[in-house]
Amino acid sequence: MYKIRIKDFDLEQNMCSGQCFRWNKISDDMYDVIAFGKYLTMKQDGDEFTFSCTKEEFDEVWSEYFDLETDYGSIKNNADERDEFMSAAVKYGAGIRILRQEFFEALISFLISQRKSIPAIRTSIERICEAFGEKIADRKYAFPTPERLRTLNTEEREYLLNECGLGYRGRYILQAAEDMRFYEDGCADVFSGMSYEEALKSIMNFNGAGVKVANCVVLFSLHKLNACPVDVWIQKMIDEEYQGVKPAWMEDANAGIYQQYAFFYKRGKRGIS
DNA sequence: ACCCAGGCCATCT
DNA sequence: AGATGGCCTGGG
């Protein structure tokens, strides 16, 4: 158990923010998540949090995952107060943070996300993890490694392609696992060292990754905060709230954070469904 | 029983 | 370059 105060953080909001797919509500006031091969349960009382891990594990893994180094308070304060939509969005999603997710998990998750509802995305991901991820606790499975997904036998391959609800995206996943080999020789963290433009271009080389998917990976994994994925909700926002003209905040150095507030607000109380 | 989902790609002008 | 149709399938 580890208790800590965290500002600008809300578990329910992050679970529903659409950036991550492996958060769950497990009881009235408890949530859980699997990331970096670890299973964590979380409880919130105002700004007081109780996590199921040790302080050592929190400092080692979760502190960075939750992006605790970034001061979201000042970023929220810097939103243009004359922009009524953004002001309301910031208030509405005040506890959202941009999680620092694992690269391969983010890549596969957002390849899956195209033309799929959030519940369907979650189902596909869980099925892949259960089948090919390392077991890390009772009925809890890590996200599989690229090596695991490119060394499937015939039967496993059939399962991935036919039993995980992937449809035409199945081949994108298999090919991405294959293509990852190119980035694994030498330094492990090649993408993090790239500029936004370089990273975006490299990720779009993966088949099935276009501008939107690549921007999601760049933002939610590489944490390049100027990345601003434009999906149907953000497009709807531009059309309805800004008369079809991209608002100034989309060019901000923290555009990705503002995008999350906007997305969460525009999408409304749909939760994870 | 529909209908469409946080797009992408190939195939056209 | 820019526009348009087709795509797998599971949830609501």
Side-chain angles (χ1 to χ4, degrees):
Chain A
M1 288 297 213
Y2 179 58
K3 281 182 184 260
I4 183 176
R5 283 192 134 84
I6 302 173
K7 289 192 298 182
D8 310 306
F9 192 35
D10 184 273
L11 298 177
E12 177 75 19
Q13 288 182 5
N14 275 279
M15 178 181 73
C16 300
S17 68
Q19 63 177 308
C20 52
F21 303 101
R22 302 201 76 200
W23 285 49
N24 289 291
K25 189 166 190 167
I26 54 177
S27 72
D28 281 351
D29 59 348
M30 288 270 278
Y31 298 81
D32 71 358
V33 58
I34 298 167
F36 293 92
K38 309 266 186 214
Y39 177 67
L40 183 73
T41 64
M42 312 176 277
K43 197 169 159 182
Q44 175 174 17
D45 182 11
D47 64 351
E48 290 188 351
F49 293 79
T50 307
F51 298 105
S52 61
C53 62
T54 62
K55 180 185 188 320
E56 287 68 35
E57 182 179 306
F58 189 86
D59 293 342
E60 180 84 15
V61 178
W62 303 107
S63 175
E64 185 178 347
Y65 176 69
F66 295 136
D67 194 28
L68 298 191
E69 295 296 302
T70 302
D71 180 2
Y72 285 77
S74 69
I75 292 169
K76 286 187 279 187
N77 284 333
N78 286 339
D80 182 359
E81 52 197 24
R82 293 163 303 179
D83 185 330
E84 286 181 31
F85 178 81
M86 183 47 65
S87 299
V90 161
K91 218 178 218 177
Y92 184 80
I96 289 178
R97 291 171 165 270
I98 306 291
L99 302 170
R100 293 174 180 259
Q101 303 183 60
E102 283 183 280
F103 180 83
F104 188 61
E105 175 173 347
L107 175 64
I108 299 302
S109 297
F110 288 101
L111 282 172
I112 292 172
S113 77
Q114 57 188 93
R115 300 262 330 170
K116 254 173 143 13
S117 63
I118 290 178
I121 299 165
R122 294 168 61 91
T123 302
S124 289
I125 292 174
E126 280 321 298
R127 217 158 278 174
I128 291 172
C129 292
E130 281 166 22
F132 308 115
E134 189 189 342
K135 186 172 182 179
I136 54 173
D138 183 39
R139 299 162 60 87
K140 307 294 173 191
Y141 297 87
F143 198 89
T145 62
E147 300 79 53
R148 181 70 183 93
L149 292 188
R150 64 173 171 252
T151 52
L152 303 180
N153 62 36
T154 309
E155 189 186 345
E156 291 171 330
R157 211 183 146 79
E158 290 301 306
Y159 182 84
L160 181 94
L161 291 174
N162 302 321
E163 308 298 329
C164 295
L166 295 172
Y168 61 88
R169 305 163 196 80
R171 62 190 174 90
Y172 297 157
I173 279 76
L174 290 175
Q175 201 184 328
E178 203 64 49
D179 293 346
M180 279 296 286
R181 205 168 3 202
F182 176 75
Y183 297 102
E184 285 164 4
D185 339 310
C187 47
D189 224 4
V190 272
F191 292 102
S192 301
M194 294 180 184
S195 67
Y196 164 75
E197 288 79 9
E198 281 180 307
L200 193 73
K201 229 175 114 185
S202 303
I203 293 167
M204 286 176 65
N205 283 332
F206 288 99
N207 198 8
V211 179
K212 191 272 177 181
V213 167
N215 268 293
C216 283
V217 178
V218 169
L219 177 59
F220 299 129
S221 172
L222 305 182
H223 209 72
K224 305 211 179 290
L225 298 175
N226 59 321
C228 185
V230 176
D231 55 47
V232 292
W233 290 100
I234 294 297
Q235 189 57 53
K236 193 170 151 72
M237 174 205 74
I238 295 171
D239 294 340
E240 296 176 358
E241 313 292 343
Y242 295 100
Q243 291 75 48
V245 184
K246 283 172 97 176
W249 57 259
M250 290 185 75
E251 303 299 328
D252 192 273
N254 291 311
I257 297 179
Y258 294 123
Q259 182 269 5
Q260 268 312 94
Y261 295 132
F263 174 82
F264 184 66
Y265 181 51
K266 189 68 186 173
R267 193 161 171 278
K269 300 189 193 308
R270 289 161 179 268
I272 50 177
S273 61

